[in-house]
C-alpha cells in the first residue's frame, strides 16, 4: 500500500474503470510556471493563482505549469515507483501533456505530488481547478547495478538504432 496525506478537500486518486492501469489525479493548486527557460514573472504567477482559485485559468501556448495535487507521499514500498502519465483524451484534444512523461515518484520521496503540465499548442487552454489532468501508475522497480566492461556481446540487431528493425 502507498500511504498518503491529503490536503483538506482533496480526494484519494482512484481508478476510473474496472481495468484501468492508472489512478486519475486532480490539480488543486499552481506551484510554479515557466515560459521558455524562464520562470514567469511574480505578477503573472499571482494572476494565474487567483484565476485558478476562482475555478479556472487559461494556460498560454507552450507554457509549463507545476500543479499541486494536494497529495503528499507518506510511505511507499521500496519495490515501487509511481509513474506520472498523460491522460490520453486530454493530450489528444487539448495538447496538455506531462512534460517529463512518464514522470517518476521515487519510493523515498516524501513531498507533494506535482504535475508538470505543458501546453504543447500555440493556443490558450482552459484548466479548471479539480480537473483530472494526469494519472498515477504504480510500477515495480528493478534496481540493477551497472558494471564496466571492454567487450560488446554481439546481437542480430547490433548497433542498429531508430527504426532499424523496420515498421512492417
Amino acid at each position: 500500500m502507498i500511504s498518503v496525506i491529503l490536503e483538506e478537500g482533496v480526494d484519494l486518486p482512484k481508478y476510473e474503470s474496472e481495468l484501468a492501469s492508472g489512478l486519475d489525479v486532480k490539480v488543486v493548486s499552481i506551484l510554479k510556471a515557466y515560459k521558455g527557460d524562464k520562470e514567469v514573472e511574480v505578477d503573472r504567477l499571482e494572476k494565474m493563482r487567483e484565476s485558478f482559485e476562482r475555478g479556472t485559468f487559461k494556460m498560454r501556448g507552450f507554457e509549463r505549469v507545476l500543479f499541486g495535487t494536494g497529495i503528499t507521499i507518506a510511505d511507499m514500498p521500496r519495490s515501487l515507483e509511481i509513474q506520472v502519465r498523460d491522460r490520453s483524451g486530454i493530450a489528444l484534444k487539448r495538447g496538455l501533456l506531462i512534460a517529463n512523461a512518464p514522470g517518476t515518484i521515487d519510493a523515498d520521496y516524501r513531498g507533494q505530488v506535482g504535475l508538470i503540465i505543458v501546453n504543447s499548442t500555440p493556443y490558450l487552454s482552459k484548466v479548471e481547478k479539480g480537473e483530472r489532468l494526469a494519472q498515477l501508475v504504480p510500477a515495480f522497480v528493478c534496481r540493477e547495478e551497472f558494471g564496466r566492461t571492454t567487450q560488446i556481446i554481439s546481437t542480430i540487431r547490433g548497433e542498429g538504432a531508430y527504426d532499424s528493425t523496420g515498421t512492417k
Side-chain angles (χ1 to χ4, degrees), residues 132-148:
R132 294 179 288 133
L133 284 189
Q135 56 184 320
L136 306 179
V137 179
F140 287 104
V141 173
C142 175
R143 290 183 42 96
E144 189 64 32
E145 298 291 328
F146 279 66
R148 190 179 183 115

Side-chain angles (χ1 to χ4, degrees), residues 33-88:
Y34 285 81
K35 182 83 172 184
D37 64 347
K38 300 208 182 330
E39 199 165 344
V40 298
E41 301 288 330
V42 174
D43 59 331
R44 163 80 177 133
L45 183 61
E46 285 308 312
K47 287 178 184 174
M48 291 167 66
R49 286 177 173 158
E50 289 170 10
S51 179
F52 190 69
E53 285 303 313
R54 288 191 303 270
T56 186
F57 91 101
K58 292 183 179 173
M59 194 169 167
R60 293 178 178 170
F62 309 114
E63 196 167 48
R64 295 177 314 284
V65 175
L66 176 60
F67 287 96
T69 61
I71 300 167
T72 298
I73 304 296
D75 190 32
M76 181 174 16
R78 64 184 304 132
S79 60
L80 295 180
E81 69 166 327
I82 300 172
Q83 296 177 0
V84 182
R85 298 186 188 175
D86 304 312
R87 291 194 62 228
S88 57

Side-chain angles (χ1 to χ4, degrees), residues 104-122:
T104 296
I105 301 170
D106 296 307
D108 59 353
Y109 177 66
R110 294 295 178 268
Q112 180 177 187
V113 173
L115 310 176
I116 305 169
I117 304 287
V118 61
N119 179 357
S120 68
T121 76

Side-chain angles (χ1 to χ4, degrees), residues 12-46:
L12 282 170
K14 69 178 188 170
Y15 296 102
E16 294 293 333
S17 72
E18 182 182 352
L19 299 177
S21 299
L23 299 101
D24 285 357
V25 65
K26 298 175 182 180
V27 293
V28 299
S29 64
I30 294 175
L31 303 176
K32 289 186 176 189
Y34 285 81
K35 182 83 172 184
D37 64 347
K38 300 208 182 330
E39 199 165 344
V40 298
E41 301 288 330
V42 174
D43 59 331
R44 163 80 177 133
L45 183 61
E46 285 308 312

Side-chain angles (χ1 to χ4, degrees), residues 163-168:
D163 202 26
S164 67
T165 59
T167 59
K168 294 185 180 189

